[in-house]
């Protein structure tokens, strides 16, 4: 499959799809910081910058165009101006690019908030525009914690939900075949969690565990809601709040205390921290099973169910390396020279990783598109 990547970020799609033998015809990333990561890892792949100017003569024929146009205008954490925002309007520019290049396949990604912005009118306008130029689409919200592939047999321990739209020119069956698996309509939903309102407060503790609101047991009173927003939980300053990671800090004494008559079982929700407790504090993602650490904890591995770690009796922020592993990216993938010629700072790496896409989801999509594409071509050749 020969594809064009637009709004490429740090090239999550290329990392995943190169494993499948796909060829990247080019990137389109105008921000100099992610562009520096692309140039470091893929010096032979052209970066066209502004995708609104790309013509077929620039990149050659492509079979697929993929891109995650900016999500800030659709996120529930922003002002939600939708298509009235210049960033949101890039979704329509994506449609116009598809009309110029006419690939067989389209893949578009965004935050779940795009479905409800302006009561769904913005999303409807986007899908309607694709239909006007001949593309049939299917869409689905995919969460990285549930997708296992040959390269990620244990999935990725992060709750990150994104809308994926898959389009195919002139036929609704291929995109439906990619996204809509038979078991998805069986009526058996994944395990639910207790509903709650609003975006949870953000930890301000530093990566080394020192200082900041919420970083000590004495300040834990404000944490009884039990959730922390994505800026801390993933260690990334992502563009939106849709991906709240539900990191739960809790008091280990609560579980072992003789006064605890709840008789907790493995998998039960854990207690939050008691003010004044002298125990160590641990943290984990509520989407996964808790793992308890004592003393200094090492980096999180991509095959472990750990999203928060204990260090010096404080729940510390995840490191950039751990964040890379929580997306399934290679170690130190963003540890390159920035556009200023200096090593990329941790702040810059957090920001870049905030826009990354889980490798297992991208790998799963690529495998499904490959499978359906071969089936369609074989059926066409037999006709």
């Amino acid at each position: 499959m020969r594809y064009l990547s637009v709004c490429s970020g740090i090239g999550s799609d290329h990392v995943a799809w190169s494993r499948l033998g796909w060829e990247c015809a080019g990137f389109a990333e105008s921000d100099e910081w992610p562009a520096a990561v692309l140039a470091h890892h893929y010096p032979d792949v052209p970066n066209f910058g502004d995708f609104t100017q790309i013509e077929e003569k620039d990149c050659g024929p492509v079979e697929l165009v993929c891109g995650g146009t900016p999500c800030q205008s659709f996120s529930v954490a922003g002002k939600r101006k939708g298509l009235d925002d210049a960033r949101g309007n890039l979704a329509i520019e994506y449609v116009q690019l598809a009309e110029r290049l006419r690939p067989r396949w389209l893949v578009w990604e965004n935050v779940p908030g795009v479905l409800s912005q302006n009561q769904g009118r913005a999303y409807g306008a986007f899908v309607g525009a694709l239909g006007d130029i001949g593309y049939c689409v299917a869409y689905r919200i995919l969460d990285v914690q549930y997708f296992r592939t040959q390269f990620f047999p244990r999935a990725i321990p992060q709750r990150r939900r994104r809308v994926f739209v898959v389009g195919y020119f002139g036929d609704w069956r291929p995109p439906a075949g990619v996204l809509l698996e038979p078991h998805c309509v069986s009526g058996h939903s994944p395990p639910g969690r207790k509903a709650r309102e609003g975006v949870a407060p953000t930890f301000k503790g530093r990566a080394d565990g020192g200082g900041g609101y919420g970083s000590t047991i004495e300040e834990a009173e404000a944490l009884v809601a039990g959730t922390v927003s994505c800026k801390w939980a993933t260690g990334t300053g992502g563009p939106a709040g849709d991906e709240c990671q539900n990191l739960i800090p809790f008091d280990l004494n609560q579980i072992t205390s003789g006064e605890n008559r709840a008789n907790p079982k493995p998998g039960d929700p854990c207690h939050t921290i008691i003010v004044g407790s002298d125990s160590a504090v641990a943290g984990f993602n509520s989407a996964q099973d808790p793992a308890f650490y004592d003393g200094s904890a090492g980096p999180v591995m991509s095959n472990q169910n750990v999203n928060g770690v204990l260090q010096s009796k404080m729940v510390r922020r995840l490191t950039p390396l751990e964040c890379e592993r929580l997306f399934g990216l290679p170690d130190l993938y963003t540890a390159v020279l920035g556009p200023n010629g200096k090593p990329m700072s941790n702040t810059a790496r957090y920001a870049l990783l905030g826009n990354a896409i889980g490798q297992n989801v991208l790998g799963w999509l690529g495998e499904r598109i490959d499978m359906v594409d071969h089936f369609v071509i074989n059926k066409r050749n037999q006709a």
Side-chain angles (χ1 to χ4, degrees):
M1 185 76 68
R2 190 171 191 270
Y3 71 97
L4 174 69
S5 169
V6 304
C7 301
S8 305
I10 57 176
S12 300
D13 47 14
H14 190 53
V15 178
W17 292 343
S18 61
R19 295 187 177 106
L20 304 178
W22 290 18
E23 176 191 355
C24 184
F27 300 115
E29 179 52 63
S30 56
D31 188 319
E32 61 180 358
W33 290 91
V37 177
L38 298 176
H40 175 86
H41 291 292
Y42 316 111
D44 298 328
V45 180
N47 182 358
F48 299 110
D50 182 2
F51 78 84
T52 67
Q53 305 300 314
I54 297 177
E55 304 282 349
E56 185 175 344
K57 62 181 177 61
D58 300 317
C59 61
V62 293
E63 299 163 283
L64 182 149
V65 169
C66 69
T69 55
C71 62
Q72 290 93 331
S73 61
F74 302 114
S75 169
V76 296
K79 295 182 179 179
R80 311 201 76 192
K81 291 185 177 181
L83 300 180
D84 292 332
D85 187 309
R87 296 167 298 183
N89 199 51
L90 286 176
I92 300 302
E93 292 284 355
Y94 175 91
V95 176
Q96 295 173 353
L97 175 67
E99 186 173 22
R100 293 195 298 273
L101 301 185
R102 290 292 184 182
R104 286 200 306 277
W105 292 95
L106 298 175
V107 175
W108 184 79
E109 173 264 351
N110 218 290
V111 295
V114 72
L115 300 178
S116 59
Q117 196 278 327
N118 195 18
Q119 297 182 321
R121 293 185 180 89
Y123 177 73
F126 170 68
V127 171
L130 288 175
D132 289 342
I133 64 173
Y135 285 92
C136 302
V137 305
Y139 75 93
R140 181 177 169 189
I141 296 177
L142 305 180
D143 189 338
V144 299
Q145 66 180 308
Y146 296 124
F147 285 83
R148 292 164 173 79
T149 69
Q150 57 179 316
F151 301 107
F152 295 93
R154 297 185 65 182
I156 288 177
Q158 181 185 174
R159 178 179 182 264
R160 192 173 180 89
R161 301 168 68 247
R162 288 293 182 268
V163 173
F164 286 87
V165 175
V166 174
Y168 191 88
F169 188 77
D171 193 342
W172 62 269
R173 292 169 293 183
V178 168
L179 287 180
L180 308 182
E181 303 169 284
H183 73 266
C184 293
V185 292
S186 65
H188 303 296
S189 302
R193 300 181 182 90
K194 186 177 180 180
R196 58 192 180 276
E197 296 181 359
V199 177
T202 300
F203 267 176
K204 297 180 181 177
R206 296 193 298 270
D208 60 3
Y213 171 78
S215 61
T216 65
I217 297 173
E218 287 73 24
E219 294 169 328
E221 187 172 13
L223 302 177
V224 293
T227 60
V228 187
S229 73
C230 64
K231 250 187 184 177
W232 190 88
T234 65
T236 62
D242 295 75
E243 62 275 18
C244 180
Q245 299 301 307
N246 304 332
L247 188 79
I248 298 181
F250 63 94
D251 183 341
L252 297 181
N253 277 352
Q254 283 276 39
I255 296 178
T256 58
S257 171
E259 296 179 5
N260 181 4
R261 303 178 185 276
N263 190 25
K265 305 288 192 307
D268 286 351
C270 288
H271 299 280
T272 50
I273 304 167
I274 289 181
V275 176
S277 171
D278 59 354
S279 84
V281 180
F284 68 96
N285 188 318
S286 65
Q288 308 295 337
D289 292 331
F292 308 130
Y293 284 86
D294 205 354
S296 297
V300 177
M301 301 299 293
S302 60
N303 62 349
Q304 289 179 333
N305 292 328
V306 184
N307 273 31
V309 291
L310 170 69
Q311 187 170 7
S312 302
K313 293 190 177 182
M314 297 178 186
V315 180
R316 67 163 172 80
R317 189 181 190 184
L318 297 176
T319 66
L321 173 61
E322 291 169 331
C323 294
E324 288 167 340
R325 291 173 175 176
L326 286 173
F327 282 101
L329 293 166
D331 284 2
L332 305 178
Y333 182 77
T334 56
V336 303
L337 294 180
N340 56 3
K342 299 179 180 179
M344 199 81 72
S345 68
N346 283 353
T347 299
R349 292 175 66 189
Y350 284 138
L352 294 175
L353 289 163
N355 291 315
I357 305 175
Q359 289 293 294
N360 55 338
V361 165
L362 286 170
W364 180 85
L365 276 173
E367 292 171 359
R368 299 281 297 184
I369 290 172
D370 252 352
M371 176 187 68
V372 173
D373 196 59
H374 289 147
F375 176 81
V376 171
I377 291 175
N378 288 339
K379 291 288 288 185
R380 188 176 299 150
N381 291 338
Q382 295 172 8

